[in-house]
Amino acid sequence: MKNMKINRLLVALTFIASLAMAGCSDFVDTEMDSPVVPSNSPAVRFLADNQTSYELEPGENAKFTLTVKRNNEGSALQVPITVVTNTENGFVVPDNVSFAAGQATADILVTMSPTAPTGTPLTLELAFADEFVNPYLAEYAAYKGEASLLNWVKFSTGIYTSGFFEASWEQDLYMAEGTTKFRFYDLFVEGVDYNFDWEVGEVAIAPAGTPNSSGYMVQESGYVHSSYGMVSTSTDPDPTYTYYNSTTKTFSFDRQWTVAAGSFGWLTDTYEITEQFVD
């Protein structure tokens, strides 16, 4: 009886081994060779610091430039541009990018179509054919970004009061049609705007800017202090401190005013609407 059990075990092991051998014989090595890049490849690619998000105003200036570079720049080169994604056909892209002999970089001028919709992000993806690129480089042979056409209309006129500057002045507030984006043009200094998001009539305000380690939204004011340099505002987005009061039609912005050397402290700015043009 013991010998019979041993024999059955040997038969079972032999059967399993035969299945394993059959499986191995059916295996096909599908490993593919890595692409070989010739030494004279132009390795065309987009610069890593190309901007990937644009907010533009409709009109003839609704355009932006993307910079590409190449290797082996000895001779002139023309590279076809492949448009992978063009939302709503909102972008007008040239068919090629051209490098003059000896030129390492070239620009692609992208313009917004006159029929592009406003108030919504539009996506653009571009690429170059494999024969012109080197997949092993850190910079990319493809680009993906988005642009929004924003039609700014006057939302209101009012009085802006600055705790930091200890002054009040008339100020217009603008709204991008079809969005929740708002802007004070030239708020503290000409050429420097202040931006925020707001659902009309709601309490909460979402200041634009870059969040710092405390979660406050930082924007440069444009004002350069004579001793300490550029002054920035760090606005607290908490609606307890930064908010809209619908009864008084007043915005309150609780801000810390800072320079590289430190802080001037927390002060509150207000904007009281005296006349509203958009509901």
Side-chain angles (χ1 to χ4, degrees):
M1 183 67 70
K2 184 176 180 180
N3 288 338
M4 290 179 63
K5 289 182 179 179
I6 293 174
N7 289 338
R8 288 175 182 172
L9 178 61
L10 289 174
V11 170
L13 292 173
T14 302
F15 178 68
I16 291 171
S18 65
L19 289 178
M21 292 291 290
C24 290
S25 64
D26 292 338
F27 175 75
V28 177
D29 188 350
T30 57
E31 182 179 348
M32 299 178 64
D33 293 333
S34 298
V36 176
V37 180
S39 59
N40 64 347
S41 168
V44 179
R45 68 271 193 195
F46 290 89
L47 291 186
D49 58 1
N50 277 313
Q51 191 172 326
T52 57
S53 180
Y54 293 87
E55 289 186 352
L56 306 170
E57 296 187 28
E60 61 182 21
N61 291 322
K63 54 192 174 184
F64 57 91
T65 298
L66 301 174
T67 302
V68 296
K69 67 186 299 186
R70 64 163 173 163
N71 295 347
N72 298 306
E73 62 267 19
S75 58
L77 178 68
Q78 184 168 275
V79 183
I81 301 171
T82 300
V83 179
V84 179
T85 302
N86 185 353
T87 305
E88 301 285 351
N89 290 317
F91 302 91
V92 180
V93 181
D95 293 330
N96 305 282
V97 58
S98 298
F99 296 86
Q103 184 182 19
T105 63
D107 290 335
I108 300 171
L109 179 63
V110 179
T111 58
M112 303 303 297
S113 168
T115 61
T118 61
T120 184
L122 306 173
T123 300
L124 176 67
E125 290 186 73
L126 305 176
F128 302 118
D130 290 346
E131 64 190 281
F132 296 102
V133 305
N134 182 342
Y136 303 110
L137 296 180
E139 292 166 310
Y140 296 109
Y143 170 85
K144 183 176 182 180
E146 67 175 30
S148 298
L149 279 177
L150 301 180
N151 187 31
W152 294 95
V153 296
K154 188 185 292 188
F155 178 81
S156 66
T157 294
I159 302 297
Y160 194 95
T161 300
S162 170
F164 179 76
F165 292 102
E166 298 182 334
S168 298
W169 59 87
E170 288 189 0
Q171 180 76 45
D172 293 332
L173 176 62
Y174 284 78
M175 173 185 185
E177 282 185 321
T179 75
T180 60
K181 295 181 180 296
F182 285 79
R183 173 174 293 171
F184 289 118
Y185 282 101
D186 308 320
L187 182 56
F188 305 117
V189 173
E190 186 175 354
V192 180
D193 310 323
Y194 186 83
N195 302 297
F196 62 94
D197 279 70
W198 175 58
E199 290 280 358
V200 176
E202 295 296 318
V203 172
I205 303 168
T210 304
N212 63 16
S213 59
S214 300
Y216 306 137
M217 303 304 293
V218 180
Q219 295 186 51
E220 289 187 347
S221 70
Y223 170 66
V224 179
H225 192 279
S226 58
S227 299
Y228 301 111
M230 176 61 69
V231 178
S232 295
T233 62
S234 300
T235 306
D236 189 341
D238 187 330
T240 305
Y241 305 103
T242 297
Y243 58 90
Y244 175 71
N245 185 323
S246 59
T247 302
T248 62
K249 292 189 174 181
T250 301
F251 294 88
S252 294
F253 301 91
D254 192 39
R255 295 188 173 124
Q256 184 181 34
W257 296 77
T258 62
V259 292
S263 169
F264 291 103
W266 287 88
L267 296 164
T268 299
D269 286 7
T270 61
Y271 176 71
E272 180 183 357
I273 295 174
T274 56
E275 185 175 5
Q276 184 170 321
F277 305 105
V278 180
D279 295 328

